């Protein structure tokens, strides 16, 4: 019980820290904005605590299949942290920020080509936006996309090279997929379909989101995304949401593969007994 409480409390703390981090980098906000951030951080912490404290989760997937959720959280945390550090120090005074910014510029040069996700993000801006704002967005987009892409590759390598999720014991579908109903249709077909849909969405969304923003520029002014906190969260959602969807697709595909292998063994044993 004590271990469960401390584990849930530590996860709740880091979730609240994640929500509040941009405001900590840029505290010059109004009182209403600060109160809203505090409220969202508290709600996120409460939800995280009860999801991990309860014996069975209600919406959180792969709770007992570490390190899936750790990969997702660390990805978002790193994106927010790195963008906050870079945008908080526009003069690039510290050596760490200079190194990170140089890497971001290098990644931006590689990723900024016609029809690339980073180029599409830049094309959402009006032509009268200052060059410094365009460069900040370019750096933020490149860093967010690189971090998220590396996280996806890392999780894919983990799944392929290790015994995930069986290294944590038997995989319980009810606990790790609480929103999945195994009684509706063939489980293997549904998991394979969901895995492919998640991977495809994860690949398409970095291209689709800028197109949607550009198409709605008559109702939403892209310049509103130029504020540091707004830029951090918008780039985090743009890069991390597709990454988490791709991780989910990889995880579901692994579960489907396990079920398929178990079925093949069962069919082989049944045929062996009938011979």
């Amino acid at each position: 019980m004590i271990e469960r409480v401390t584990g849930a409390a530590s996860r709740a703390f880091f979730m609240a820290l994640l929500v509040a981090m941009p405001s900590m980098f840029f505290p010059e906000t109004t009182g209403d904005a600060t109160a809203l951030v505090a409220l969202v951080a508290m709600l996120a912490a409460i939800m995280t605590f009860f999801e991990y404290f309860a014996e069975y989760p209600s919406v959180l997937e792969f709770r007992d299949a570490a390190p899936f959720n750790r990969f997702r959280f660390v990805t978002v945390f790193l994106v927010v942290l790195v963008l906050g550090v870079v945008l908080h120090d526009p003069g690039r005074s510290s050596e760490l920020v200079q190194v990170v910014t140089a890497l971001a510029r290098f990644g931006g040069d590689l990723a900024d080509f016609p029809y690339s996700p980073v180029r599409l993000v830049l094309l959402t801006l009006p032509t009268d936006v200052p060059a410094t704002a365009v460069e900040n967005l370019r750096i933020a987009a490149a860093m967010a996309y690189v971090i998220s892409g590396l996280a996806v590759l890392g999780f894919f390598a983990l799944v392929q090279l290790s015994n995930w999720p069986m290294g944590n014991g038997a995989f319980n579908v009810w606990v790790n997929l609480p929103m999945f109903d195994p009684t509706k249709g063939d489980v293997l077909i549904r998991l394979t379909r969901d895995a492919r849909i998640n991977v495809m969405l994860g690949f398409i969304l970095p291209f689709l989101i800028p197109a949607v923003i550009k198409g709605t520029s008559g109702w939403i002014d892209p310049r509103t995304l130029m504020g540091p906190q707004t830029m951090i969260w918008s780039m985090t959602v743009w890069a991390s949401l597709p990454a988490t969807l791709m991780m989910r697709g990889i995880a579901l595909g692994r579960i489907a593969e396990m079920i398929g292998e178990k079925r093949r063994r069962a069919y082989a044993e049944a045929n062996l007994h009938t011979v």
Side-chain angles (χ1 to χ4, degrees):
M1 176 63 71
I2 296 178
E3 182 179 357
R4 180 181 294 181
V5 171
T6 55
S10 62
R11 289 174 171 87
F13 169 77
F14 282 109
M15 181 60 70
L17 178 62
L18 171 63
V19 174
M21 195 184 305
S23 296
M24 296 168 65
F25 279 112
F26 304 96
E28 55 278 357
T29 56
T30 62
D32 292 340
T34 302
L36 179 60
V37 170
L39 177 62
V40 174
M42 182 178 64
L43 292 177
I46 292 173
M47 181 178 177
T48 302
F49 177 84
F50 283 106
E51 281 291 305
Y52 278 95
F53 177 74
E55 186 174 359
Y56 302 108
S58 58
V59 295
L60 182 66
E61 293 183 330
F62 298 103
R63 191 189 71 173
D64 294 340
F68 175 77
N69 286 314
R70 294 172 189 172
F71 257 91
R72 295 200 302 177
F73 178 82
V74 169
T75 301
V76 178
F77 192 90
L78 282 178
V79 171
V80 174
L81 177 62
V82 171
L83 297 190
V85 169
V86 172
L87 297 177
H88 180 66
D89 190 3
R92 326 290 185 214
S93 57
S94 66
E95 294 183 0
L96 176 61
V97 174
Q98 290 178 11
V99 171
V100 173
T101 305
L103 292 175
R105 285 205 175 106
F106 177 73
D109 292 336
L110 294 178
D112 186 12
F113 55 88
Y115 304 107
S116 70
V118 174
R119 176 68 64 85
L120 293 178
V121 168
L122 296 178
L123 290 177
T124 61
L125 296 177
T127 57
D128 58 347
V129 173
T132 55
V134 174
E135 181 64 15
N136 285 338
L137 182 62
R138 184 170 176 268
I139 291 174
M143 286 303 298
Y145 199 66
V146 168
I147 293 173
S148 300
L150 291 176
V152 172
L153 293 177
F155 182 71
F156 179 76
L158 172 71
V159 171
Q160 296 299 317
L161 300 178
S162 68
N163 195 29
W164 186 91
M166 300 306 294
N168 300 305
F171 184 82
N172 190 319
V173 176
W174 185 28
V175 174
N176 290 293
L177 295 173
M179 306 296 290
F180 183 80
D181 187 356
T183 64
K184 294 182 178 179
D186 186 275
V187 173
L188 180 58
I189 294 176
R190 291 174 58 205
L191 285 175
T192 304
R193 178 199 62 198
D194 291 349
R196 292 172 179 172
I197 291 175
N198 277 267
V199 172
M200 286 189 296
L201 282 176
F203 179 79
I204 293 172
L205 281 179
F207 300 88
L208 182 61
I209 292 176
V212 172
I213 295 176
K214 186 68 174 179
T216 58
S217 59
W219 295 277
I220 302 174
D221 188 356
R223 279 183 286 252
T224 59
L225 303 178
M226 289 296 96
Q229 292 192 44
T230 309
M231 183 182 296
I232 289 173
W233 283 122
S234 59
M235 290 299 97
T236 300
V237 171
W238 168 74
S240 299
L241 177 60
T244 56
L245 287 175
M246 294 190 75
M247 290 184 201
R248 185 175 187 270
I250 294 170
L252 292 177
R254 174 58 177 162
I255 303 305
E257 181 183 341
M258 291 167 47
I259 294 175
E261 291 176 356
K262 187 174 182 180
R263 285 186 179 181
R264 286 190 291 269
R265 287 197 302 266
Y267 292 154
E269 293 175 0
N271 292 333
L272 182 62
H273 289 316
T274 57
V275 173

